[in-house]
Amino acid sequence: MDNKYISKLSPAIDFWAGIYLVVIATLSISGNAAVLINAARRLTLLKAPELLTVNLAITDIGMALSMYPLSIASAFNHAWIGGDSSCLYYGLMGMIFSITSIMTLAVMGMVRYLVTGSPPKTGIKFQRRIISIVISGIWLYSCLWAVFPLLGWGSYGPEPFGLACSIDWTGYGDSLNHSTFIMALSVLCTFLPCLVILFSYFGIAWKLHRAYQSIQSNDIQYRNVEKKVTLIAVMISLGFLIAWTPYVAVSFWSMFHSKEQDHMAPFITLLPCLFAKSSTVYNPFVYFIFQRTFWDKLLCLQRLLPCCSHQANSSVEGRKVEDKMVRSSDLIRAPVQSV
């Protein structure tokens, strides 16, 4: 086996890294599957911007299903499994899903900004056809960047610790080919989307500040929904950015200090990579925390709906619970529709 695919970590660290990835994969698959199941159950009622939330869940669960099993097996094996071919596959999937995620978040920020009205209830309405075209464009954009290294612009390679593969960041100073690809990728697929996210939510905050000045006492419900929607959207975006910032920072350090990389402990390069994978778990938990009705639906689904049927059979108490769920579902649809 090529030495670059042998783990630079101790067997004990590899073992616990594998355990960590098992937990992350389990939470990611179950959480995002719950989001998709909930969306499928009300497919005809999905609003246009809500499709972006579905797309984000698809990217998260896609990353967990296509990448994490190989990482887990390699961690327990104490060496990368599959050599160059699996490394190429892993890097390709990582590029597609990570770029799709950040571009989806950027579009979510812009859509959220446009649908947030100032004064209230005057925001732009989106059609499902428009959002579907945008989502298709995001996937094509991501696939294009993922294919560039296969065509000779940039390259994929193993991470310094030997148990994952990504863009060969250390090749930045080796050739103009690598340096131009990495800089273009950084600007167009990292910094620009991040700026869009930040400016979108600063714009939302300013719009809401102006809107609150004109809200009358009978618009309290609208104000609460707007605040909740904005908080959810901001937390989803911040969660992604916080999870990936350490990895980006270490990658950029290795770009400009490739000759000094041997002096960096492999364990230090492992931690940001593991932390970045938590981004696929974060989004469903935002829904679980802020939308208790979604949590109730998930529990009912896990129990094959016995709790729901039991409540439906109870007379007076059942009608009270149903009324509460109807009012809560209205609050859910507003945020998911607007995010």
Side-chain angles (χ1 to χ4, degrees):
M1 176 180 291
D2 196 326
N3 186 61
K4 64 182 180 181
Y5 291 127
I6 297 177
S7 175
K8 309 304 186 296
L9 306 167
S10 67
I13 294 178
D14 281 343
F15 174 80
W16 288 111
I19 295 296
Y20 170 84
L21 291 174
V22 168
V23 174
I24 290 295
T26 302
L27 293 176
S28 179
I29 293 172
S30 58
N32 287 288
V35 174
L36 295 177
I37 292 172
N38 183 58
R41 292 179 61 193
R42 44 188 297 271
L43 185 61
T44 57
L45 300 176
L46 289 178
K47 305 302 181 181
E50 196 171 353
L51 298 176
L52 291 167
T53 305
V54 174
N55 190 56
L56 190 62
I58 290 174
T59 61
D60 288 343
I61 199 171
M63 183 177 289
L65 290 173
S66 65
M67 299 174 62
Y68 293 178
L70 187 55
S71 293
I72 293 169
S74 298
F76 290 139
N77 187 53
H78 193 55
W80 182 254
I81 295 176
D84 291 337
S85 58
S86 64
C87 183
L88 188 65
Y89 161 81
Y90 192 91
L92 188 70
M93 292 297 102
M95 277 281 283
I96 292 175
F97 289 119
S98 59
I99 294 177
T100 301
S101 293
I102 194 169
M103 296 306 296
T104 300
L105 289 170
V107 173
M108 286 172 65
M110 289 189 294
V111 170
R112 181 70 193 122
Y113 173 81
L114 294 173
V115 301
T116 301
S118 178
K121 303 177 183 178
T122 61
I124 298 176
K125 304 298 182 183
F126 285 90
Q127 297 179 352
R128 294 183 63 160
R129 177 174 174 272
I130 298 299
I131 297 298
S132 298
I133 292 174
V134 171
I135 291 174
S136 299
I138 290 174
W139 281 99
L140 289 175
Y141 184 78
S142 304
C143 291
L144 179 65
W145 279 99
V147 168
F148 277 144
L150 303 183
L151 301 178
W153 191 29
S155 63
Y156 294 113
E159 296 279 7
F161 52 88
L163 291 179
C165 293
S166 67
I167 293 298
D168 184 10
W169 300 97
T170 58
Y172 176 79
D174 295 343
S175 66
L176 183 63
N177 177 293
H178 283 80
S179 60
T180 54
F181 174 76
I182 290 175
M183 289 307 299
L185 177 69
S186 301
V187 172
L188 298 177
C189 299
T190 303
F191 293 126
L192 188 58
C194 289
L195 287 177
V196 170
I197 291 171
L198 293 176
F199 279 110
S200 294
Y201 291 118
F202 273 118
I204 291 170
W206 175 246
K207 275 190 174 185
L208 292 180
H209 174 73
R210 291 177 56 191
Y212 293 160
Q213 306 303 316
S214 62
I215 287 178
Q216 305 299 322
S217 59
N218 60 347
D219 290 319
I220 295 298
Q221 182 178 6
Y222 170 82
R223 181 177 64 181
N224 291 336
V225 170
E226 283 286 349
K227 291 173 66 176
K228 184 176 181 181
V229 170
T230 303
L231 183 59
I232 292 174
V234 169
M235 290 192 67
I236 288 176
S237 300
L238 282 180
F240 182 89
L241 296 177
I242 291 173
W244 280 94
T245 295
Y247 178 80
V248 172
V250 171
S251 298
F252 271 80
W253 185 92
S254 64
M255 283 170 49
F256 298 104
H257 301 83
S258 57
K259 296 181 179 180
E260 303 173 21
Q261 189 169 356
D262 293 338
H263 300 291
M264 178 182 289
F267 182 70
I268 301 300
T269 62
L270 170 70
L271 291 179
C273 187
L274 294 180
F275 191 52
K277 295 185 186 303
S278 66
S279 65
T280 60
V281 179
Y282 186 83
N283 295 336
F285 276 93
V286 173
Y287 293 105
F288 295 158
I289 293 172
F290 286 93
Q291 301 183 33
R292 296 189 63 181
T293 303
F294 179 80
W295 173 250
D296 293 336
K297 287 183 178 181
L298 174 63
L299 292 180
C300 287
L301 193 63
Q302 290 176 336
R303 298 168 185 170
L304 299 179
L305 304 178
C307 61
C308 297
S309 60
H310 176 73
Q311 290 176 355
N313 291 332
S314 58
S315 56
V316 179
E317 187 65 22
R319 283 192 293 271
K320 291 181 180 179
V321 172
E322 185 179 18
D323 291 338
K324 291 181 181 179
M325 291 187 68
V326 169
R327 290 194 295 269
S328 300
S329 65
D330 290 337
L331 290 177
I332 286 179
R333 291 176 187 174
V336 177
Q337 162 187 342
S338 303
V339 171

